[in-house]
Short mmCIF file of all heavy atoms in Angstrom, two decimals:
data_model
loop_
_atom_site.label_atom_id
_atom_site.label_comp_id
_atom_site.label_asym_id
_atom_site.label_seq_id
_atom_site.Cartn_x
_atom_site.Cartn_y
_atom_site.Cartn_z
N ALA A 1 -8.63 7.73 -3.13
CA ALA A 1 -8.10 8.14 -1.83
C ALA A 1 -7.79 6.91 -0.97
O ALA A 1 -6.76 6.85 -0.28
CB ALA A 1 -9.09 9.05 -1.12
N LEU A 2 -8.68 5.93 -1.01
CA LEU A 2 -8.49 4.71 -0.23
C LEU A 2 -7.28 3.93 -0.74
O LEU A 2 -6.47 3.44 0.06
CB LEU A 2 -9.76 3.86 -0.33
CG LEU A 2 -9.87 2.66 0.62
CD1 LEU A 2 -9.83 3.12 2.07
CD2 LEU A 2 -11.16 1.90 0.34
N SER A 3 -7.15 3.83 -2.06
CA SER A 3 -6.02 3.12 -2.64
C SER A 3 -4.70 3.79 -2.26
O SER A 3 -3.72 3.13 -1.92
CB SER A 3 -6.16 3.08 -4.17
OG SER A 3 -5.04 2.46 -4.77
N ASP A 4 -4.69 5.12 -2.28
CA ASP A 4 -3.49 5.87 -1.93
C ASP A 4 -3.15 5.65 -0.45
O ASP A 4 -1.98 5.45 -0.10
CB ASP A 4 -3.71 7.35 -2.22
CG ASP A 4 -2.49 8.19 -1.89
OD1 ASP A 4 -1.50 8.12 -2.65
OD2 ASP A 4 -2.51 8.91 -0.88
N MET A 5 -4.16 5.68 0.41
CA MET A 5 -3.92 5.48 1.84
C MET A 5 -3.37 4.09 2.12
O MET A 5 -2.42 3.92 2.89
CB MET A 5 -5.19 5.72 2.64
CG MET A 5 -5.03 5.43 4.14
SD MET A 5 -6.55 5.61 5.08
CE MET A 5 -6.51 7.39 5.37
N VAL A 6 -3.96 3.08 1.49
CA VAL A 6 -3.51 1.70 1.70
C VAL A 6 -2.06 1.55 1.24
O VAL A 6 -1.25 0.86 1.90
CB VAL A 6 -4.43 0.72 0.94
CG1 VAL A 6 -3.83 -0.68 0.90
CG2 VAL A 6 -5.80 0.67 1.61
N SER A 7 -1.72 2.18 0.15
CA SER A 7 -0.34 2.15 -0.35
C SER A 7 0.62 2.80 0.65
O SER A 7 1.71 2.29 0.91
CB SER A 7 -0.26 2.86 -1.70
OG SER A 7 1.07 2.89 -2.18
N CYS A 8 0.20 3.93 1.21
CA CYS A 8 1.03 4.63 2.20
C CYS A 8 1.23 3.79 3.45
O CYS A 8 2.34 3.71 4.01
CB CYS A 8 0.39 5.96 2.56
SG CYS A 8 0.45 7.20 1.24
N LEU A 9 0.17 3.14 3.92
CA LEU A 9 0.27 2.28 5.11
C LEU A 9 1.22 1.12 4.88
O LEU A 9 2.02 0.75 5.75
CB LEU A 9 -1.11 1.77 5.50
CG LEU A 9 -2.11 2.83 6.00
CD1 LEU A 9 -3.52 2.24 6.07
CD2 LEU A 9 -1.69 3.38 7.36
N ALA A 10 1.15 0.54 3.68
CA ALA A 10 2.03 -0.57 3.34
C ALA A 10 3.49 -0.13 3.30
O ALA A 10 4.38 -0.86 3.74
CB ALA A 10 1.62 -1.16 1.98
N GLU A 11 3.72 1.07 2.80
CA GLU A 11 5.09 1.60 2.72
C GLU A 11 5.65 1.84 4.13
O GLU A 11 6.82 1.56 4.40
CB GLU A 11 5.11 2.91 1.93
CG GLU A 11 6.49 3.52 1.77
CD GLU A 11 7.45 2.65 0.98
OE1 GLU A 11 6.99 1.97 0.04
OE2 GLU A 11 8.65 2.64 1.32
N ILE A 12 4.80 2.33 5.03
CA ILE A 12 5.25 2.53 6.41
C ILE A 12 5.63 1.19 7.05
O ILE A 12 6.67 1.06 7.69
CB ILE A 12 4.17 3.23 7.25
CG1 ILE A 12 3.93 4.65 6.72
CG2 ILE A 12 4.58 3.29 8.73
CD1 ILE A 12 2.75 5.36 7.38
N ALA A 13 4.78 0.18 6.84
CA ALA A 13 5.05 -1.15 7.40
C ALA A 13 6.34 -1.73 6.82
O ALA A 13 7.10 -2.42 7.51
CB ALA A 13 3.88 -2.08 7.11
N HIS A 14 6.59 -1.47 5.55
CA HIS A 14 7.81 -1.94 4.90
C HIS A 14 9.04 -1.33 5.56
O HIS A 14 10.05 -2.02 5.77
CB HIS A 14 7.75 -1.56 3.42
CG HIS A 14 8.96 -1.99 2.63
ND1 HIS A 14 9.29 -3.31 2.43
CD2 HIS A 14 9.93 -1.24 2.01
CE1 HIS A 14 10.41 -3.37 1.70
NE2 HIS A 14 10.80 -2.13 1.45
N GLU A 15 8.95 -0.04 5.92
CA GLU A 15 10.08 0.65 6.49
C GLU A 15 10.25 0.36 7.99
O GLU A 15 11.38 0.20 8.46
CB GLU A 15 9.92 2.16 6.28
CG GLU A 15 9.98 2.59 4.83
CD GLU A 15 11.35 2.37 4.21
OE1 GLU A 15 12.35 2.52 4.93
OE2 GLU A 15 11.41 2.05 3.00
N THR A 16 9.14 0.31 8.73
CA THR A 16 9.24 0.14 10.18
C THR A 16 9.35 -1.31 10.63
O THR A 16 9.93 -1.60 11.68
CB THR A 16 8.03 0.77 10.90
OG1 THR A 16 6.82 0.13 10.46
CG2 THR A 16 7.95 2.27 10.62
N LYS A 17 8.78 -2.22 9.84
CA LYS A 17 8.76 -3.63 10.23
C LYS A 17 9.50 -4.54 9.24
O LYS A 17 9.71 -5.71 9.53
CB LYS A 17 7.30 -4.11 10.36
CG LYS A 17 6.53 -3.49 11.53
CD LYS A 17 7.06 -3.98 12.85
CE LYS A 17 6.24 -3.51 14.04
NZ LYS A 17 4.93 -4.13 14.14
N GLY A 18 9.84 -4.02 8.07
CA GLY A 18 10.52 -4.84 7.08
C GLY A 18 9.60 -5.78 6.33
O GLY A 18 10.06 -6.73 5.69
N TYR A 19 8.29 -5.52 6.36
CA TYR A 19 7.34 -6.38 5.67
C TYR A 19 7.40 -6.14 4.16
O TYR A 19 7.71 -5.03 3.69
CB TYR A 19 5.91 -6.10 6.14
CG TYR A 19 5.65 -6.41 7.60
CD1 TYR A 19 4.66 -5.72 8.31
CD2 TYR A 19 6.38 -7.38 8.28
CE1 TYR A 19 4.41 -6.00 9.65
CE2 TYR A 19 6.13 -7.66 9.61
CZ TYR A 19 5.15 -6.96 10.29
OH TYR A 19 4.91 -7.24 11.61
N ASP A 20 7.11 -7.19 3.40
CA ASP A 20 7.04 -7.05 1.95
C ASP A 20 5.89 -6.13 1.56
O ASP A 20 4.87 -6.05 2.27
CB ASP A 20 6.84 -8.42 1.28
CG ASP A 20 8.06 -9.31 1.42
OD1 ASP A 20 9.18 -8.77 1.61
OD2 ASP A 20 7.90 -10.54 1.34
N LEU A 21 6.03 -5.48 0.43
CA LEU A 21 4.96 -4.62 -0.07
C LEU A 21 3.95 -5.46 -0.83
O LEU A 21 4.32 -6.32 -1.62
CB LEU A 21 5.53 -3.54 -1.01
CG LEU A 21 6.41 -2.49 -0.33
CD1 LEU A 21 7.09 -1.64 -1.39
CD2 LEU A 21 5.57 -1.62 0.59
N PRO A 22 2.65 -5.24 -0.60
CA PRO A 22 1.62 -6.00 -1.33
C PRO A 22 1.48 -5.49 -2.76
O PRO A 22 1.90 -4.38 -3.09
CB PRO A 22 0.34 -5.71 -0.53
CG PRO A 22 0.59 -4.34 0.04
CD PRO A 22 2.06 -4.29 0.36
N GLU A 23 0.91 -6.33 -3.61
CA GLU A 23 0.57 -5.89 -4.95
C GLU A 23 -0.76 -5.17 -4.88
O GLU A 23 -1.77 -5.74 -4.48
CB GLU A 23 0.48 -7.08 -5.90
CG GLU A 23 1.82 -7.78 -6.12
CD GLU A 23 1.69 -8.90 -7.14
OE1 GLU A 23 0.62 -9.01 -7.76
OE2 GLU A 23 2.68 -9.65 -7.32
N LEU A 24 -0.76 -3.90 -5.25
CA LEU A 24 -1.96 -3.09 -5.14
C LEU A 24 -2.55 -2.84 -6.52
O LEU A 24 -1.83 -2.50 -7.46
CB LEU A 24 -1.64 -1.74 -4.48
CG LEU A 24 -1.06 -1.83 -3.06
CD1 LEU A 24 -0.63 -0.45 -2.59
CD2 LEU A 24 -2.09 -2.41 -2.11
N ASN A 25 -3.85 -3.01 -6.62
CA ASN A 25 -4.55 -2.74 -7.87
C ASN A 25 -5.08 -1.32 -7.85
O ASN A 25 -5.67 -0.88 -6.86
CB ASN A 25 -5.72 -3.72 -8.06
CG ASN A 25 -5.25 -5.14 -8.21
OD1 ASN A 25 -4.22 -5.40 -8.84
ND2 ASN A 25 -5.98 -6.08 -7.61
N GLU A 26 -4.88 -0.60 -8.93
CA GLU A 26 -5.41 0.74 -9.03
C GLU A 26 -6.93 0.68 -9.12
O GLU A 26 -7.49 -0.16 -9.83
CB GLU A 26 -4.86 1.46 -10.27
CG GLU A 26 -3.39 1.77 -10.18
CD GLU A 26 -3.07 2.71 -9.03
OE1 GLU A 26 -3.88 3.62 -8.77
OE2 GLU A 26 -2.02 2.53 -8.39
N PRO A 27 -7.67 1.54 -8.41
CA PRO A 27 -9.12 1.53 -8.46
C PRO A 27 -9.62 1.91 -9.86
O PRO A 27 -9.08 2.80 -10.49
CB PRO A 27 -9.53 2.59 -7.43
CG PRO A 27 -8.36 3.51 -7.38
CD PRO A 27 -7.16 2.66 -7.57
N GLU A 28 -10.62 1.19 -10.30
CA GLU A 28 -11.20 1.50 -11.59
C GLU A 28 -12.18 2.64 -11.43
O GLU A 28 -12.73 2.88 -10.37
CB GLU A 28 -11.92 0.27 -12.16
CG GLU A 28 -10.95 -0.90 -12.42
CD GLU A 28 -11.69 -2.09 -13.00
OE1 GLU A 28 -12.93 -1.96 -13.21
OE2 GLU A 28 -11.06 -3.12 -13.24
N GLU A 29 -12.40 3.36 -12.51
CA GLU A 29 -13.31 4.48 -12.48
C GLU A 29 -14.70 4.03 -12.06
O GLU A 29 -15.25 3.07 -12.61
CB GLU A 29 -13.38 5.15 -13.86
CG GLU A 29 -14.21 6.41 -13.88
CD GLU A 29 -14.17 7.10 -15.23
OE1 GLU A 29 -13.41 6.63 -16.10
OE2 GLU A 29 -14.90 8.08 -15.41
N GLY A 30 -15.24 4.71 -11.06
CA GLY A 30 -16.59 4.37 -10.61
C GLY A 30 -16.63 3.26 -9.59
O GLY A 30 -17.68 2.89 -9.10
#
């Protein structure tokens, strides 16, 4: 859930501010 939220926030910043998207690591199990 946290990884998904962080990805969504980055996408909003990309669209509203033109910032580059960060490289996000998928959370490992556990």
Side-chain angles (χ1 to χ4, degrees):
L2 191 60
S3 177
D4 181 73
M5 176 183 276
V6 169
S7 177
C8 290
L9 293 168
E11 181 63 35
I12 295 172
H14 179 65
E15 294 294 326
T16 60
K17 292 291 187 70
Y19 297 153
D20 291 337
L21 292 171
E23 294 184 8
L24 300 173
N25 296 322
E26 291 298 323
E28 297 181 2
E29 185 176 354

